[in-house]
Amino acid sequence: MFARVAIPAGTHILDYKGRLITHAQADRLYGDSAASGHTFLFMLNARYIIDANVGGNAARWLNHGCAPNCAASIHEHPGGVALRDRIVIEALRDIAPGEELTYNYGIVLEMRHTARMKRLWACRCGAPGCTGTLLQRKR
Ligand SMILES: [Zn+2]
């Protein structure tokens, strides 16, 4: 997805939308998706995952980038209602028209990050510091 207009740093670009499913539902529906190297799932909180395969918006088309110009952050519902938490995508810096919008997906798999998995989740963002994979260091 590319910017059509100049986007100042800090701009709320859009929310990552989709149906809410529980972690157990995600495992049942997409249990083997770690081997696909592709996902429209985004972990919202301990209870829910946003599944952009259903009811997703344009946010699902943003690519991962190793030197991203956007960030996705969880905005917790002030009343603590897990269902109402949001994933907000914001501009990290001023973005010029024509630039691709990217953010770090922050993907950490439960399984080992083997060379094969890194290849499956290969990154081709082209940034000078590209790690070559979407998979992030385990903490
Ligand atoms: Zn990269």
Side-chain angles (χ1 to χ4, degrees):
M1 200 157 92
F2 294 84
R4 285 173 57 189
V5 296
I7 301 172
T11 301
H12 171 194
I13 298 172
L14 78 178
D15 282 23
Y16 192 96
K17 299 266 198 192
R19 67 172 170 176
L20 285 182
I21 57 176
T22 64
H23 289 254
Q25 285 174 312
D27 286 345
R28 273 200 305 279
L29 289 165
Y30 307 108
D32 55 356
S33 65
S36 74
H38 170 79
T39 184
F40 281 150
L41 303 182
F42 201 131
M43 194 191 302
L44 181 62
N45 49 43
R47 207 171 157 75
Y48 296 109
I49 285 173
I50 293 183
D51 177 8
N53 290 290
V54 179
N57 64 353
R60 71 187 191 277
W61 301 120
L62 265 74
N63 280 321
H64 168 91
C66 293
N69 52 17
C70 297
S73 53
I74 313 288
H75 285 211
E76 289 184 15
H77 181 257
V81 181
L83 269 170
R84 295 278 164 80
D85 288 351
R86 298 159 58 204
I87 296 168
V88 172
I89 296 173
E90 289 161 311
L92 282 175
R93 57 166 174 78
D94 293 339
I95 298 170
E99 272 192 75
E100 182 175 7
L101 304 180
T102 59
Y103 65 95
N104 189 322
Y105 284 10
I107 295 178
V108 179
L109 302 179
E110 284 174 30
M111 63 188 65
R112 270 189 65 220
H113 291 174
T114 59
R116 179 174 163 270
M117 292 315 290
K118 286 179 181 170
R119 274 196 306 277
L120 274 170
W121 292 92
C123 182
R124 298 174 192 91
C125 76
C130 180
T131 62
T133 179
L134 274 64
L135 302 180
Q136 306 296 301
R137 280 176 186 281
K138 298 198 180 217
R139 270 154 287 175

